[in-house]
Amino acid sequence: MRTTGYVWHERYSWHDTGTFAGIIAPGSTVQPFHNFESADSKSRFNSLVEVSSLIDHLVKVPARIATDEDILRIHTPRHLDFIKNQSELVVGDAGDGWSPFGHKGIEIARLAAGGTIAAVDAVLRGDVTNAYALVRPPGHHAERDMGMGYCIFANIPIAIEWARANHGIERIAVVDFDIHHGNGTQSIFADDPNVLTISLHQDRLFPQDSGYVTETGGSGAEGSALNVPLPAGTGNGAYAAAFERLVLPALRNFKPEAIFVASGFDASAVDPLGCMTLTATAYRQMTASLVTVADELCDGRLIMSHEGGYSPVYVPYCGLAVLEELCGFETGIPDPFEFSFGNSPAHALTQAQDDVLNVAENIARQMQLIVG
Ligand SMILES: [Zn+2]
């Protein structure tokens, strides 16, 4: 019987990304709006978890505050000091000029990293089989010395190093299906042969100069990174094929002691920041595959930490599908958007997508990321 831990804290919805016009600063002819990275998609995801009663089938795991020691296992003292100073301003920024946060925002960033720590702790203590940390701000773009792309601290890497320090595990895999490249996670562990980073993302979306299929790991860790940059427009079929041909074989070859997932829903068909066409069905299938492979390889240890996903109306249903697969309980609530996106011809694997997968497979074989 699987049990699933669930992390959510009201303060995640208080993370303040200010007045924006989607992804740009307003002004001149650009009318002020809000930042696409807003609380809505996450708080409404949590609302559906409660309204659907799925919460009754999950184990609530309290978030905790990540300490300086926790953060400094990954980030430079310069970055931590920078965030502390920015946090004293009315509006601070994580480092790239496009990642605003409000006064005392570091407290919520600590809670996001700490929420991911709490999730992995619950799994590794054996309190639960797997866990979902619905945290905010996200983390997968944050590098050791700089925040970027809405990310202040690298939530998953901080949780990985915490787990290594406190639970004696070493070999970890990270699967990132957020539409953006998991550049931060990849760069942090580039030279670490005991962390496999896998990222499926829209080709050259963000950051625009990373996530190439030729990025396969740094010095001494060749073959520890797998990138699958899929063309804009990709749907459920190509993601399923990428899992079958690349993600699952790479995990089986690597044999991790735990699997983390950077869980972003911005590859959904209605996301304002992406051009993919996934439905909740794709997220359900990817999660089901990960649950199966985690059962095979590491006693089901799967820790998902929330990243992007900017459709306030669709993210909750994509998230519900993921949580149902994690805990094995079906609420019976159908995807209300399925009628609109589910039958799109965009879900069939195209030749262009197949070509990308073939190139990625060839490189992965050369680097011994996959065998056979
Ligand atoms: Zn994203």
Side-chain angles (χ1 to χ4, degrees), residues 140-141 178-181 264 266 273 307-310:
H140 73 148
H141 295 307
D178 186 282
I179 198 171
H180 302 102
H181 179 225
D266 36 14
L273 278 181
E307 300 285 354
Y310 306 100

Side-chain angles (χ1 to χ4, degrees), residues 203-225:
D203 189 17
R204 283 163 287 176
L205 180 60
F206 183 86
Q208 291 186 354
D209 59 350
S210 75
Y212 296 100
V213 71
T214 48
E215 295 170 22
T216 54
S219 65
E222 294 84 358
S224 69

Side-chain angles (χ1 to χ4, degrees), residues 15 66 83 105-114 136-137 152-153 155:
H15 171 57
I83 297 299
I106 191 172
E107 294 174 6
I108 306 175
R110 286 186 191 275
L111 207 52
R136 179 170 175 262
I152 299 175
F153 297 133
N155 301 328

Side-chain angles (χ1 to χ4, degrees), residues 139-163:
H140 73 148
H141 295 307
E143 299 176 345
R144 286 192 187 274
D145 195 42
M146 191 178 90
M148 64 185 289
Y150 306 146
C151 303
I152 299 175
F153 297 133
N155 301 328
I156 286 177
I158 287 170
I160 287 174
E161 290 304 343
W162 186 91

Side-chain angles (χ1 to χ4, degrees), residues 54 280-281 283-284 287 316-326:
L54 186 61
T281 298
Y283 291 104
R284 181 182 296 284
T287 307
Y317 293 96
C318 296
L320 194 74
V322 165
L323 282 174
E324 286 184 356
E325 290 303 318
L326 279 182

Side-chain angles (χ1 to χ4, degrees), residues 270-309:
V270 281
D271 197 275
L273 278 181
C275 303
M276 300 304 214
T277 59
L278 296 192
T279 67
T281 298
Y283 291 104
R284 181 182 296 284
Q285 289 172 344
M286 288 193 284
T287 307
S289 297
L290 290 166
V291 165
T292 299
V293 82
D295 276 345
E296 271 175 47
L297 299 175
C298 48
D299 296 328
R301 294 165 167 175
L302 192 59
I303 303 98
M304 303 183 87
S305 185
H306 197 83
E307 300 285 354

